[in-house]
Amino acid sequence: MSTMPPEYPGSNPFSNSPTYLMACQQLRNVARAIDLDPGIAERLMLPKRSQVVSVPVRMEDGRTEVFVGYRVQHSLTSGPSKGGLRYAKNVDLGEVAALAMWMSWKCGIMNLPFGGAKGGIAVDPAELKGGEKERLTRRFTDEIQNIIGPRIDVMAPDMGTDEQTMAWIYDTYSMKVGYACPEIVTGKPVELGGCIGRKEATGRGVTYCILQALEELGIRPETATAVVQGFGNVGSVTCEELVKLGVKIIAIGDRYGSIRNDRGINIAKLLEYQSQNERKTVAGFPEAEAIADSELLTIPCTILVPAAMERVITEANAGQLRCRILAEGANGPTTPEADAILANSDIFIIPDILCNAGGVTVSYFEWVQDLAQFMWDEEQVKAQLKKLMLGAYHRVRNEAKRRNISNRLAALSLGVQKVAREKQKRGLYP
Ligand code: NAD
């Protein structure tokens, strides 16, 4: 049995974040379950390297505002670290550290040659005007220049950032090093060496997993309904892909409000509506009724997809979930306390580190293509993504069945074990 102290880690720069403590609690549970070497467990609990930077930005009205930016590299054991960059008002060091840790397990499950990383800037991107987002992104890139690189740490989009953000990072980094270096980021525009299908990859991967789960449960997609929280990159693509399978999307929510239509929401029309309103929201869509945000997750449905933020399924609402499948598009949407409640239900959970791994998988394809300066076509990307996602899905399910454990514990075990094995084999320097 692992002898890691039960309360480890004690106080550290990350530990005032409930999200970081949640990631540590998961790691502790896994360490116990797989009898992980305590020295390795302790090393995995703390990120390898973290940088906090101040990012001064000239605002459109002439003022200077200073934002706080973070980049956390959880592990560099398996290759460069890899992970998204998040722009969100309340992002902090601990949240970023948790997300970086989850990226390590995710890359482990998918057998990708990366460690986990994550970045963030505490800013509400919806409040930025004119050229502020570009100046913020470029200055942040400059401030963390010393710890990123195609063989060190490679960023990608996450909440609040997109292809354009990655293009600015690519350009800023390239200007610094003196040559075009597309392999510094993934999730770039295709014209700049981005991978066809990267934008859709996470939602597609979520859908491949859902389809497998439906098959296991003997449910035909055309008879299924879905509720989706978040209508950004992950949520909207998941909706589009589910609709192609015949699934009816009956409710959707975003940060501005939630909508419901039991006859099925027309996703193409909703996307058009969203693109045309100023806040880019689903709220106010005329072909659905407005509902309270607190209702969204507990609507009876076949498939519930949280695709917005972490810690939304808690002990307060877990007992009220009325879905058959919980497909975690977001990172960390379910707290360990909620997990314990769900364990006593018949809800089939597709855990985040498996469910949303399509994004980092196609990011890996993009990185490889940029390094080789050779582009794949869309069919190749889709076929490879599907192959790797299904492989991972079945590895997790087989592990869960073999050890009679939850899908989450199985997924975490596989992810943690892969990183731990590599750490063990490389040994401890010096
Ligand atoms: P995004 O910025 O494109 O969209 C986020 C969506 O969540 C928006 O619709 C926003 O309105 C909504 N949202 C924000 N706060 C909310 C709240 N309080 N209540 C309800 N909705 C809220 O972000 P994204 O890239 O789609 O990422 C969503 C989640 O998926 C995040 O947890 C992210 O870490 C995870 N993820 C993203 C990728 C990717 O490739 N983009 C890959 C893996 C995991």
Side-chain angles (χ1 to χ4, degrees), residues 86 158-160 198 202 231-234 254-255 307-309 330-331:
R86 168 175 290 195
D158 191 74
M159 231 160 91
R198 168 61 183 90
T202 309
F231 199 64
N233 176 305
V234 181
D254 68 19
R255 61 181 285 191
M309 47 192 294
N331 285 306

Side-chain angles (χ1 to χ4, degrees), residues 291-410:
I291 56 165
D293 294 334
S294 55
E295 273 177 49
L296 185 75
L297 300 178
T298 56
I299 293 174
C301 60
T302 319
I303 309 152
L304 176 63
V305 187
M309 47 192 294
E310 55 280 349
R311 299 173 57 78
V312 292
I313 300 171
T314 63
E315 56 191 332
N317 62 5
Q320 294 157 35
L321 262 49
R322 293 290 173 267
C323 57
R324 187 71 185 85
I325 296 170
L326 174 61
E328 296 182 340
N331 285 306
T334 309
T335 65
E337 295 76 24
D339 239 348
I341 295 169
L342 296 177
N344 296 316
S345 74
D346 69 349
I347 296 175
F348 184 101
I349 299 179
I350 311 172
D352 52 0
I353 54 173
L354 166 67
C355 194
N356 68 36
V360 70
T361 302
V362 176
S363 275
Y364 164 62
F365 299 161
E366 182 171 326
W367 180 70
V368 167
Q369 290 170 67
D370 287 335
L371 286 174
Q373 300 181 328
F374 182 80
M375 300 319 277
W376 301 3
D377 63 31
E378 186 162 14
E379 286 320 302
Q380 212 173 344
V381 172
K382 270 169 122 172
Q384 283 299 320
L385 171 65
K386 189 167 186 177
K387 187 174 150 202
L388 296 196
M389 284 304 295
L390 294 190
Y393 179 93
H394 290 296
R395 279 197 296 282
V396 169
R397 285 297 293 140
N398 290 341
E399 182 78 357
K401 287 182 203 158
R402 188 177 67 80
R403 292 170 49 203
N404 195 22
I405 55 175
S406 69
N407 288 342
R408 185 173 327 273
L409 189 55

Side-chain angles (χ1 to χ4, degrees), residues 190-233:
V190 172
E191 306 88 295
L192 296 181
C195 181
I196 299 171
R198 168 61 183 90
K199 203 163 77 184
E200 298 80 10
T202 309
R204 278 189 186 143
V206 169
T207 310
Y208 294 145
C209 291
I210 291 173
L211 197 55
Q212 290 301 302
L214 286 169
E215 200 177 304
E216 266 194 66
L217 299 172
I219 302 170
R220 283 187 297 117
E222 320 83 73
T223 65
T225 56
V227 170
V228 181
Q229 183 188 49
F231 199 64
N233 176 305

